[in-house]
């Protein structure tokens, strides 16, 4: 379970996963962000069938990895862009769903006349 308030950033450029957790952290730093800001940074391979997430939890670097066997993760166009996701969008992404379709529900309160 991810603590509330943790920001999630998605890198649109594919990454070589043959390197260890220091490589994605250096990519975060090279892009001008602080890899030790307690944000989650999400990366994908060229085929978009594997995802790695690096996260500084305040005491050390956590590296999460997952893969889809029969499809690929929904990803924004490749380019020098970093996208911020909310927690529901990250959950959808990791399930192999189209996270771009996850939107907050606006609940209208009933109107009472007095």
């Amino acid at each position: 379970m991810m603590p509330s308030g943790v920001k999630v950033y998605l890198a649109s450029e594919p990454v070589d996963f043959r390197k260890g957790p220091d490589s994605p952290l250096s990519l975060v730093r090279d892009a001008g962000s602080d890899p030790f800001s307690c944000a989650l940074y999400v990366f994908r391979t060229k085929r978009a069938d594997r995802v790695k997430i690096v996260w500084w939890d305040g005491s050390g670097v956590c590296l999460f990895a997952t893969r889809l066997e029969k499809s690929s993760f929904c990803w924004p166009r490749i380019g020098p862009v970093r996208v911020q996701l909310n927690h529901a969008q990250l959950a959808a992404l990791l399930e192999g769903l189209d996270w771009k379709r996850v939107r907050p529900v606006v609940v209208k309160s009933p109107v009472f006349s007095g």
Side-chain angles (χ1 to χ4, degrees), residues 93-112:
L93 170 81
L94 295 176
E95 289 293 326
L97 303 173
D98 185 354
W99 58 269
K100 293 175 274 184
R101 295 179 177 260
V102 176
R103 304 259 188 254
V105 175
V106 178
V107 179
K108 294 182 181 181
S109 26
V111 177
F112 296 99

Side-chain angles (χ1 to χ4, degrees), residues 7 9 28 33-41 55-56:
K7 293 183 179 177
Y9 296 106
V28 170
S33 296
D34 179 9
F36 305 108
S37 66
C38 295
L40 289 169
Y41 296 94
W55 176 42
W56 172 260

